[in-house]
Amino acid sequence: MRRTWQRHINKLRWVSLSIVFLMLILLPFLHLYQTYEAAHAYDLLAPDEKAIYDAMERLTAPFVSDPVTDLNALKGTTWSGTLFGLKLSDPLAVVGQSAAGLTIYWPFLLTALIPIAVTLVLGRVYCGWICPATLIYELHDNLAAWLRKAGLPVSRRKLDRRLKYLVLAAGTIIAAISGTMVFAAVYPPAIIGREIYYAIAVGGFGAGIVFFILTLAFDLMVTRRGFCRYVCPGGALYSLLGRFRLLRIQRKVGQCNDCAKCNVVCQFGLDPLRDGFGQECNNCTACIAVCPTDALTFRVAFKDQPFQGPGHLGHEYRRRQENRQADAHSDPGEAA
Amino acid sequence: MQRRNFLYTLIAGAVGAAAPLHARATPRVSVRFLRPPGALPEDDYLSRCIRCGKCGEVCPNRAIKFFRFENGLASLDTPYIVPREQACILCMKCGEACPTGALQPIEREAEAIMQNVRMGRARVDRTICLSWQGKTCGVCYRACPLQDVAIRVGRLEQPHVLDACVGCGLCERSCIQIPQAIRIIPDHQRKVV
C-alpha cells in the first residue's frame, strides 16, 4: 500500500516550532547588534560583543542597508511582535488587555485579526505549530516517557479539561478588577519570549522563569502535558476560536485497526481512536504520523464525525462480523 | 496533602495573590524610575501594557529595562528607565513599536516631543551643583537635547530648569558630580496626557 504524504506533515511542524524558537533566540542578538551599530563604537566593544557584531553583520548585511532602523521590521515575540513590518499579536493579549482597560483599543485588536482568522479556519494550530513553549513541553514530555519506561510513576493523573476555560474566565475577571494584564505573567509563550530576551540582551532571567519551571514540574509530576491540557488560558481561547474550524483530522474507519497508537501519541489526551477530536485538537498531525494504516487524514468539514465503531481492520470488528454471520446462519427465520 | 487538594490550594493562592494588585498600582516612592517616553499616566499605563517587551527591543540606547518584583506585582515585566544608568535619547522608537498605545506614538520632532512627552522634570540640587558652588560647569546644559527651551544657564553656567523639560534624563546621566546634582523627578501620577 502506498502511504499518504500527510504523515510527513508532523516533521514540517517540528521545523516550524524550531524556526520560531530559533527566531526568538536570534532577535535579542539582532537587538544587541543594532545598539552597537547605533553607538558607533565598534572599537570599544569587548571581544565577545565584537563576535556578536560580526556574526549579525554577516547574517543581515544582504538584507538591510541601515541595521539600526531596518531591523526594527523584525521585533518582539509570539505574544506580540512585528514580522517583516506586519504587527501581529496573540488574541489572548487582546482579551486580557481589553479586560484590564475595560475598553477595546482598536489598533491593537487589528493586530490580532490574522491570528484569529487563521485559528477560525485551521483550529488551535498556534498551540502545535508556533508556540515556543510547546517545543519545550513536547521535549519535556519525551523525557517523561523515558522516565516512565524506566519505571518511575510520572504524570499519571487526569484532570478535567474544562479547567482551562475556568482559568481563562478567572484571568479575564481578575484583569478587569485589578486593572492589570495578568495573563502575561502566567502564559508560557509570553514568558519564554521575554525570558530569552532577558537572558541574552539584558542579562539574567526575570521572574517568569520560576513560573515556567513550576509548569514543567507540574507536567512531570502531576499530569502529562498538564499545563497545555488543563490550565493554559491561551489554549482555552484558541480552542474556543477553533471550535468550528474547517480543517479537521478524521478517522477512516475502513482502514483503522484499533491499535490505539494515536491515543497514546496525542499530546492533548484526545481520543482519535473513537473519533473524539473536538475543539481542542490542534491539528498537530502527530496521530497521522504514527498511524500504521493511514487511517487518519485531513478533511474539510465543520463538524467531527460521530463515533463510527471499531476499525474494520481490527479484531473487535472481525469478531462482531463473525458473530453476526454465525447469528445469521443459526437463525431459522433467516435461513428459510 | 492530596495532590488534587494541593492544586486547588495553588489556584486559590494565585487568585488571592492577585487581589491586592490594584492597591499596589501606584508605584512605591522608594524606587525612582521613569516610564519610557509617551507613556500614559501610571494607572492607565498598567492596564494598557501587555508586557511584550518590544519597547526594550527597539531601544537603540538600551535605556529601557524591565521590572522584576522591585516595584510590586503590578509592575512585573513593565519597562522603566533609570536615567543615571542610561538615559532616554528621545528617539521615539518605543512609542512606534508599542502595539497597545501604552506608549503613545509621538513624532520625533521637538514641538511634538515637548507637547506629549512627560517622563518627569529635572531638579537641580544647588548644594551639590558645581556651578552653583562657584565652579563653572554647565555639563547638564550641554547634554540637554532641548537646550534653552528645557534648560537655561545663567552666570557661571548655573542651570535653571524650565517648564518645557520632558525628563529624558540626559542631564542626570551626564552630571559629573557624585551623587548627581541634577535629578529627574518622575511624573507618573499626572492626570492628563
Side-chain angles (χ1 to χ4, degrees):
Chain A
M1 184 169 64
R2 261 193 70 204
R3 301 211 51 190
T4 165
W5 58 273
Q6 289 188 6
R7 72 204 155 95
H8 296 296
I9 300 177
N10 197 35
K11 292 168 194 158
L12 197 65
R13 185 176 70 94
W14 278 96
V15 171
S16 161
L17 284 173
S18 308
I19 287 175
V20 172
F21 203 85
L22 290 177
M23 285 276 275
L24 288 180
I25 294 173
L26 175 69
L27 288 181
F29 285 114
L30 286 181
H31 173 226
L32 287 178
Y33 168 54
Q34 282 181 295
T35 62
Y36 300 153
E37 179 73 26
H40 298 288
Y42 182 78
D43 294 338
L44 297 175
L45 295 179
D48 55 333
E49 293 174 332
K50 274 185 183 162
I52 293 173
Y53 184 100
D54 293 338
M56 292 302 126
E57 187 181 36
R58 211 167 302 136
L59 198 65
T60 58
F63 309 107
V64 296
S65 52
D66 175 17
V68 177
T69 55
D70 293 357
L71 285 178
N72 282 352
L74 204 56
K75 283 284 170 194
T77 65
T78 58
W79 183 231
S80 184
T82 312
L83 188 64
F84 302 111
L86 184 70
K87 281 189 178 182
L88 296 169
S89 299
D90 197 307
L92 184 68
V94 177
V95 169
Q97 195 243 14
S98 305
L102 295 176
T103 47
I104 291 173
Y105 183 67
W106 291 101
F108 184 44
L109 181 67
L110 290 178
T111 62
L113 281 190
I114 292 177
I116 289 174
V118 168
T119 308
L120 286 176
V121 177
L122 300 179
R124 194 184 172 180
V125 283
Y126 175 84
C127 297
W129 289 70
I130 296 165
C131 176
T134 294
L135 184 76
I136 299 176
Y137 283 139
E138 285 208 21
L139 294 174
H140 186 63
D141 188 52
N142 292 350
L143 172 75
W146 282 347
L147 292 177
R148 213 175 290 124
K149 215 177 268 180
L152 288 171
V154 293
S155 46
R156 292 181 308 180
R157 280 177 172 268
K158 285 217 185 317
L159 305 175
D160 193 330
R161 221 177 272 132
R162 288 170 297 184
L163 180 62
K164 61 176 170 294
Y165 301 101
L166 198 68
V167 173
L168 175 64
T172 311
I173 292 168
I174 293 172
I177 293 172
S178 66
T180 315
M181 178 70 181
V182 284
F183 290 129
V186 296
Y187 186 47
I191 292 173
I192 294 284
R194 266 201 311 267
E195 296 299 328
I196 292 176
Y197 173 76
Y198 289 166
I200 295 171
V202 183
F205 285 109
I209 200 75
V210 179
F211 182 83
F212 186 70
I213 289 169
L214 282 178
T215 66
L216 287 178
F218 176 70
D219 280 12
L220 194 61
M221 300 203 278
V222 184
T223 169
R224 189 181 165 208
R225 282 305 296 280
F227 196 88
C228 303
R229 285 186 193 180
Y230 307 115
V231 187
C232 184
L237 183 62
Y238 280 115
S239 295
L240 291 175
L241 288 173
R243 181 172 185 135
F244 300 107
R245 65 187 181 278
L246 263 175
L247 195 65
R248 285 165 191 272
I249 299 175
Q250 292 191 341
R251 188 173 67 121
K252 286 191 219 156
V253 70
Q255 266 166 262
C256 175
N257 66 355
D258 286 344
C259 70
K261 283 184 177 170
C262 44
N263 278 19
V264 173
V265 85
C266 182
Q267 295 278 332
F268 285 170
L270 305 177
D271 195 9
L273 179 64
R274 282 176 277 274
D275 299 296
F277 293 96
Q279 61 191 21
E280 301 196 358
C281 172
N282 64 354
N283 284 348
C284 77
T285 74
C287 55
I288 296 181
V290 82
C291 183
T293 56
D294 284 340
L296 292 158
T297 51
F298 273 119
R299 294 253 184 82
V300 176
F302 283 104
K303 272 182 160 177
D304 286 334
Q305 285 164 310
F307 180 46
Q308 305 174 83
H312 292 186
L313 301 181
H315 295 300
E316 176 67 20
Y317 183 78
R318 201 177 309 148
R319 196 175 58 77
R320 284 193 195 177
Q321 287 298 96
E322 280 163 7
N323 281 353
R324 202 171 298 158
Q325 277 169 6
D327 286 350
H329 285 299
S330 66
D331 185 358
E334 184 94 344
Chain B
M1 191 188 284
Q2 271 207 327
R3 280 199 207 149
R4 183 189 300 261
N5 285 344
F6 173 68
L7 184 76
Y8 289 156
T9 319
L10 259 187
I11 294 163
V15 173
L21 280 184
H22 198 61
R24 291 234 197 121
T26 48
R28 294 174 190 167
V29 228
S30 57
V31 192
R32 188 171 61 91
F33 65 93
L34 311 177
R35 290 291 182 198
L40 299 174
E42 188 67 5
D43 283 349
D44 292 348
Y45 178 81
L46 288 176
S47 69
R48 275 280 185 91
C49 174
I50 59 161
R51 283 75 162 159
C52 67
K54 269 172 86 183
C55 46
E57 279 183 61
V58 296
C59 182
N61 203 29
R62 292 175 79 180
I64 296 179
K65 302 174 175 67
F66 295 92
F67 275 124
R68 292 172 188 173
F69 292 116
E70 302 93 327
N71 197 42
L73 216 52
S75 283
L76 183 63
D77 294 314
T78 53
Y80 71 100
I81 294 172
V82 176
R84 186 60 164 167
E85 288 170 14
Q86 193 68 291
C88 171
I89 55 172
L90 296 175
C91 70
M92 296 297 135
K93 281 180 181 157
C94 46
E96 200 181 302
C98 182
T100 66
L103 307 176
Q104 293 283 323
I106 295 166
E107 214 180 319
R108 193 181 181 219
E109 192 254 319
E111 205 57 42
I113 288 175
M114 281 190 291
Q115 239 169 40
N116 299 308
V117 177
R118 290 308 310 265
M119 304 164 81
R121 191 164 185 272
R123 192 164 72 193
V124 181
D125 186 339
R126 294 185 181 178
T127 60
I128 306 175
C129 177
L130 276 181
S131 292
W132 284 96
Q133 300 303 313
K135 306 181 181 74
T136 310
C137 169
V139 166
C140 51
Y141 171 76
R142 303 259 136 43
C144 182
L146 298 166
Q147 276 174 9
D148 295 320
V149 193
I151 194 169
R152 174 171 63 75
V153 280
R155 194 166 53 89
L156 295 179
E157 307 265 344
Q158 289 161 348
H160 297 268
V161 179
L162 306 177
D163 282 341
C165 174
V166 299
C168 69
L170 285 166
C171 51
E172 179 175 347
R173 172 93 172 96
S174 63
C175 180
I176 60 171
Q177 282 291 69
I178 298 173
Q180 65 273 37
I182 188 163
R183 288 161 198 257
I184 307 297
I185 306 303
D187 198 9
H188 307 303
Q189 297 307 318
R190 70 192 180 280
K191 286 287 172 272
V192 274
V193 186

